[in-house]
Amino acid sequence: MNCREFVEFLMEYLDGGLNDAERSVFEGHIDACPQCVNYLDSYRETVRLGQTVCESEDQVPDSVPDDLVRAILAARNA
Ligand SMILES: [Zn+2]
């Protein structure tokens, strides 16, 4: 798994939508890639803040923090 794939799997991972094999690959990338750990932390924080405001598990806020945008771009370029 590379960082781009990590980002694609991220939402399903947080939803519990990955099977055991997919999840182990995903978590293996987390162990190997501090950049994606940071990305995951930022993403979770964004979702948490969104839930606080919207009280909805499905909605991500429209305004994404700048550092999260940079993390996404960095992951795609890696
Ligand atoms: Zn990565």
Side-chain angles (χ1 to χ4, degrees), residues 3 29 33 36:
C3 295
H29 187 85
C33 186
C36 284

Side-chain angles (χ1 to χ4, degrees), residues 1-4 6 29 32-37 75 78:
M1 173 173 285
N2 60 34
C3 295
R4 189 178 59 79
F6 177 92
H29 187 85
C33 186
Q35 179 177 288
C36 284
V37 173

